[in-house]
Amino acid sequence: MTVIGFSVHDSIVVFDRIRENRLRHAGESFGAIVNHSILQTMGRSINTSLTVVATTAALLLLGPVSIQTFTLALLIGIVS
């Protein structure tokens, strides 16, 4: 559920950026606007994913045994 929520949030951010860029770049083709919007949000998505991977890896290595399996599943989901 966490990984699905993470992906849905990224999709919402990209669609919102497309909506904003349609107003800013009215003369461009829709494909160009979508490409520009994805490129704008890519850095943010990568930084967020790397932060989550670092936190989850720390929990996997330093956390209690009772949550290690759950943390491993989260880590695999985020990395994939």
Side-chain angles (χ1 to χ4, degrees), residues 51-78:
T51 303
V52 171
V53 165
T55 306
T56 309
L59 273 174
L60 182 65
L61 296 173
L62 304 172
V65 177
S66 60
I67 65 166
Q68 284 183 347
T69 306
F70 177 68
T71 306
L72 180 62
L74 281 176
L75 189 59
I76 290 170
I78 295 296

Side-chain angles (χ1 to χ4, degrees), residues 5-80:
F6 201 82
S7 297
V8 168
H9 181 264
D10 277 352
S11 298
I12 291 169
V13 169
V14 170
F15 285 128
D16 188 49
R17 184 62 62 165
I18 291 170
R19 184 181 53 82
E20 290 174 3
N21 284 338
R22 282 181 61 194
L23 297 175
R24 289 184 188 155
H25 307 283
E28 292 184 34
S29 68
F30 186 70
I33 292 172
V34 169
N35 187 41
H36 186 66
S37 300
I38 290 173
L39 289 176
Q40 285 179 335
T41 58
M42 186 71 71
R44 175 183 172 184
S45 295
I46 289 172
N47 287 337
T48 303
S49 295
L50 290 176
T51 303
V52 171
V53 165
T55 306
T56 309
L59 273 174
L60 182 65
L61 296 173
L62 304 172
V65 177
S66 60
I67 65 166
Q68 284 183 347
T69 306
F70 177 68
T71 306
L72 180 62
L74 281 176
L75 189 59
I76 290 170
I78 295 296
V79 169
S80 65

